[in-house]
DNA sequence: TCTGGGGTCCTAGGACCC
DNA sequence: TCTGGGGTCCTAGGACCC
């Protein structure tokens, strides 16, 4: 008989803030808030000391400063966080041959059939937590359950330094005890819609038909919720999905009124995007832009053509057309973004006319420039237009 | 309070074809 | 004369997550 499946979901507690406290002993026991730079930044992580002041992630930095004026505000240091993340992931790999990294601070471990090696479920979870703490100085919260969906919810059930085990026989009671907001995949809007239909908790939802949920939320979300409240894995985390899109966006310190400046910024974005295109060796036939106006209204435009994007100039031309189409003259712009969708791996099929038209050559030149930049560090190889842009986008000129 | 940056998936409607 | 049904591809926007 094959052993029953069980999974760990492991979540690093207040990860960025914890790394800062680890690296700077003087920050320990104090409210540490890692946030975006500039006055329009938001909190990305804060220590539990800061949470006591009501600070939480995604909160505008200005608000956090009001709530916690003596907080230690730090910019994020991603390379360092990735380093620590790697250490933790290496420990995961000692416990399971099937580790699914979900982001920099969380992963699923398929622990099925590992009792002989690590002992019963609870023992192995405690062992893992202890090893992570002694090996990296970081604390984690672990959720254990028969499927990934429940394990994911369980890891958030008791934080920090938590361990929540949901046995098969307790799944129903566990799911029904959950506040709606703790159900992964149910956000504010969905909650409001459910509540206005009289469905205010998971237990009530578990007692209505799938069709009712579908009529309220649509086909896919209705089906998802019907499964979710029963603890049936909706399959969100079944496999590592292939990358489908890449994008870059920028929120400005001050809203921008000048179309030429927007075009220059779009040029920068298209440069960064094409670097990533080369780095990840992908291309796409669909490009898109995103504009967020001063009133937070957000619009987007996309265009698909037969030929995949070839080089940065090609990309910029396509993006520029979209910007011209979508831009509303006179409206202040707070964010501009650009992306590639439906990306495909590898170089696009070699067509004869590519060579003849010089398209292929252009791309090769750019790839060489990209490799040089990578070696020498960015900003070394800079196009004339970018030099202008940097002058233009200097703060306070807007 | 005044709202980042990177993603994924879904929906509704339009165009086009058979 | 006015109107099918299904399928595919594309677009714009919304919801959600870390």
């Amino acid at each position: 008989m094959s052993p029953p499946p069980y999974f760990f979901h492991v979540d690093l507690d207040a990860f960025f803030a914890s790394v800062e406290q680890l690296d700077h002993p003087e920050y320990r026991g104090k409210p540490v808030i890692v946030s975006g730079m500039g006055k329009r930044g938001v909190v990305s992580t804060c220590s539990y000391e800061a949470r006591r002041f009501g600070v939480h992630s995604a909160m505008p930095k200005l608000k956090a400063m009001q709530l916690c004026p003596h907080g230690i505000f730090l910019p994020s240091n991603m390379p360092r966080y990735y380093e620590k993340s790697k250490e933790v992931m290496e420990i995961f790999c000692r416990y399971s041959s099937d580790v699914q990294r979900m982001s920099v601070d969380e992963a699923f471990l398929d622990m099925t059939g590992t009792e002989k090696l690590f002992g019963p479920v609870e023992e192995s979870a405690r062992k893992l937590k202890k090893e992570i703490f002694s090996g990296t100085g970081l604390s984690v919260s672990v959720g254990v359950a028969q499927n990934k969906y429940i394990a994911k919810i369980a890891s958030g059930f008791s934080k920090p330094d938590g361990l929540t085990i949901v046995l098969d026989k307790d799944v129903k009671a566990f799911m029904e005890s959950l506040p709606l907001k703790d159900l992964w995949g149910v956000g504010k809007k969905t909650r409001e819609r459910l509540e206005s239909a009289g469905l205010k908790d998971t237990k009530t939802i578990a007692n209505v038909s799938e069709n009712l949920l579908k009529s309220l939320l649509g086909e896919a979300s209705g089906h998802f919720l019907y499964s979710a409240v029963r603890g049936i894995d909706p399959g969100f985390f079944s496999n590592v999905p292939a990358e489908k899109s890449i994008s870059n966006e920028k929120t400005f310190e001050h809203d921008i009124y000048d179309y030429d400046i927007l075009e220059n910024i779009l040029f920068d974005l298209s440069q960064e995007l094409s670097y990533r295109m080369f780095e990840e060796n992908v291309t796409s036939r669909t490009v898109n832009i995103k504009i967020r106006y001063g009133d937070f209204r957000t619009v987007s435009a996309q265009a698909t053509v037969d030929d995949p994007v070839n080089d940065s100039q090609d990309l910029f031309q396509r993006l520029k057309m979209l910007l011209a189409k979508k831009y509303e003259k006179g409206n202040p712009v707070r964010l501009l973004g650009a992306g590639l969708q439906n990306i495909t791996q590898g170089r696009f099929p070699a067509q004869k006319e590519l060579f003849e038209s010089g398209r292929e050559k252009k791309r090769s030149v750019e790839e060489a420039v990209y490799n040089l930049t990578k070696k020498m560090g960015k900003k070394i190889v800079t196009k004339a237009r970018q030099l202008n842009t940097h002058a233009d986008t200097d703060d306070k000129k807007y």
Side-chain angles (χ1 to χ4, degrees), chain A residues 221-283:
Chain A
S221 305
H223 174 70
F224 151 71
L225 189 59
Y226 184 81
S227 310
V229 291
R230 285 167 176 73
I232 300 167
D233 198 327
F236 277 139
F237 316 115
S238 50
N239 261 315
V240 192
E243 195 179 36
K244 295 187 176 72
S245 66
I246 54 177
S247 62
N248 266 268
E249 63 187 51
K250 180 72 196 149
T251 297
F252 315 118
E253 282 290 291
H254 309 278
D255 292 351
I256 294 175
Y257 290 81
D258 185 330
Y259 186 77
D260 291 337
I261 293 177
L262 287 176
E263 218 172 60
N264 279 334
I265 291 161
L266 192 66
F267 181 80
D268 278 356
L269 289 170
S270 68
Q271 290 289 311
E272 283 165 31
L273 212 50
S274 43
Y275 280 130
R276 286 185 61 190
M277 194 169 77
F278 292 131
E279 175 129 271
E280 296 170 31
N281 194 28
V282 294
T283 187

Side-chain angles (χ1 to χ4, degrees), chain A residues 14-140:
Chain A
F15 181 45
F16 299 172
S18 299
V19 174
E20 297 296 345
Q21 288 179 322
L22 192 67
D23 290 349
H24 306 272
E26 68 274 23
Y27 296 163
R28 292 179 199 168
K30 294 191 175 147
V32 169
I33 297 157
V34 178
S35 66
M37 291 194 291
K39 62 184 174 83
R40 281 179 166 174
V42 299
V43 175
S44 57
T45 326
C46 57
S47 68
Y48 281 86
E49 293 85 356
R51 292 181 201 199
R52 281 200 279 277
F53 291 85
V55 178
H56 57 77
S57 36
M59 172 182 278
K61 187 179 168 187
L62 285 180
K63 165 84 173 167
M65 288 171 116
Q66 283 169 19
L67 290 172
C68 190
H70 304 296
I72 299 162
F73 287 82
L74 304 169
S76 69
N77 180 3
M78 289 315 290
R80 176 62 180 147
Y81 307 151
Y82 277 114
E83 210 171 82
K84 290 305 280 183
S85 173
K86 199 166 157 243
E87 289 175 23
V88 176
M89 298 291 162
E90 277 164 9
I91 295 174
F92 291 164
C93 291
R94 288 182 219 151
Y95 280 76
S96 168
S97 57
D98 185 356
V99 175
Q100 189 183 345
R101 183 179 179 276
M102 298 305 291
S103 70
V104 69
D105 66 349
E106 60 173 310
F108 289 106
L109 281 66
D110 185 345
M111 297 295 288
T112 306
T114 61
E115 277 98 335
K116 277 194 194 118
L117 281 168
F118 304 110
V121 173
E122 184 173 345
E123 202 180 308
S124 60
R126 295 207 183 279
K127 217 180 263 181
L128 173 68
K129 280 164 64 73
K130 209 170 147 186
E131 192 169 335
I132 290 171
F133 188 73
S134 61
T136 68
L138 296 167
S139 86
V140 295

Side-chain angles (χ1 to χ4, degrees), chain A residues 355-371:
Chain A
F355 265 111
E356 285 160 7
S357 66
R359 272 166 64 87
E360 179 72 3
K361 191 177 165 199
K362 204 166 203 168
R363 179 159 171 131
S364 301
V365 169
E366 286 212 350
E367 270 179 337
V369 171
Y370 158 71
N371 285 322

Side-chain angles (χ1 to χ4, degrees), chain A residues 153-398:
Chain A
I153 294 173
S155 72
F157 195 72
S158 151
K159 274 176 145 282
D161 198 22
L163 171 58
T164 305
I165 299 171
V166 183
L167 299 174
D168 293 11
K169 68 176 175 60
D170 299 327
V171 166
K172 189 169 186 283
F174 178 73
M175 295 311 294
E176 291 188 355
S177 74
L178 280 179
L180 214 43
K181 67 171 175 47
D182 290 350
L183 215 54
W184 196 96
V186 175
K188 192 161 168 265
K189 299 282 178 180
T190 304
R191 217 161 51 233
E192 282 169 7
R193 225 183 283 183
L194 289 167
E195 278 167 3
S196 66
L199 306 174
K200 55 193 183 331
D201 55 48
T202 41
K203 193 169 178 181
T204 314
I205 294 168
N207 281 315
V208 303
S209 73
E210 185 169 358
N211 279 339
L212 176 66
L213 297 176
K214 284 181 175 174
S215 69
L216 279 171
L217 305 174
E219 192 67 22
S221 305
H223 174 70
F224 151 71
L225 189 59
Y226 184 81
S227 310
V229 291
R230 285 167 176 73
I232 300 167
D233 198 327
F236 277 139
F237 316 115
S238 50
N239 261 315
V240 192
E243 195 179 36
K244 295 187 176 72
S245 66
I246 54 177
S247 62
N248 266 268
E249 63 187 51
K250 180 72 196 149
T251 297
F252 315 118
E253 282 290 291
H254 309 278
D255 292 351
I256 294 175
Y257 290 81
D258 185 330
Y259 186 77
D260 291 337
I261 293 177
L262 287 176
E263 218 172 60
N264 279 334
I265 291 161
L266 192 66
F267 181 80
D268 278 356
L269 289 170
S270 68
Q271 290 289 311
E272 283 165 31
L273 212 50
S274 43
Y275 280 130
R276 286 185 61 190
M277 194 169 77
F278 292 131
E279 175 129 271
E280 296 170 31
N281 194 28
V282 294
T283 187
S284 166
R285 294 169 45 228
T286 306
V287 306
N288 74 292
I289 60 149
K290 170 171 159 185
I291 303 171
R292 176 166 291 153
Y293 291 105
D295 61 2
F296 225 70
R297 189 170 46 91
T298 308
V299 296
S300 64
Q302 68 178 65
T304 304
V305 290
D306 288 344
D307 285 325
V309 173
N310 186 67
D311 53 75
S312 70
Q313 206 185 335
D314 180 14
L315 177 62
F316 180 51
Q317 290 309 320
R318 298 186 198 204
L319 294 171
K320 210 161 69 165
M321 272 165 50
L322 291 174
L323 179 64
K325 175 179 149 192
K326 216 55 195 178
Y327 175 67
E328 297 160 16
K329 198 163 181 288
N331 263 345
V333 175
R334 76 175 276 139
L335 171 151
L336 188 62
L340 299 176
Q341 289 167 312
N342 306 321
I343 58 175
T344 49
Q345 270 297 322
R347 296 175 66 99
F348 40 87
Q351 293 166 29
K352 239 201 291 173
E353 60 267 66
L354 292 188
F355 265 111
E356 285 160 7
S357 66
R359 272 166 64 87
E360 179 72 3
K361 191 177 165 199
K362 204 166 203 168
R363 179 159 171 131
S364 301
V365 169
E366 286 212 350
E367 270 179 337
V369 171
Y370 158 71
N371 285 322
L372 188 60
T373 310
K374 203 173 158 190
K375 248 187 250 164
M376 314 288 286
K378 263 193 181 167
K379 310 285 175 209
I380 297 268
V381 184
T382 311
K383 291 195 177 178
R385 177 148 191 152
Q386 271 182 305
L387 291 172
N388 286 332
T389 310
H390 291 137
D392 285 349
T393 51
D394 198 5
D395 219 348
K396 297 202 172 65
K397 285 204 176 162
Y398 301 127

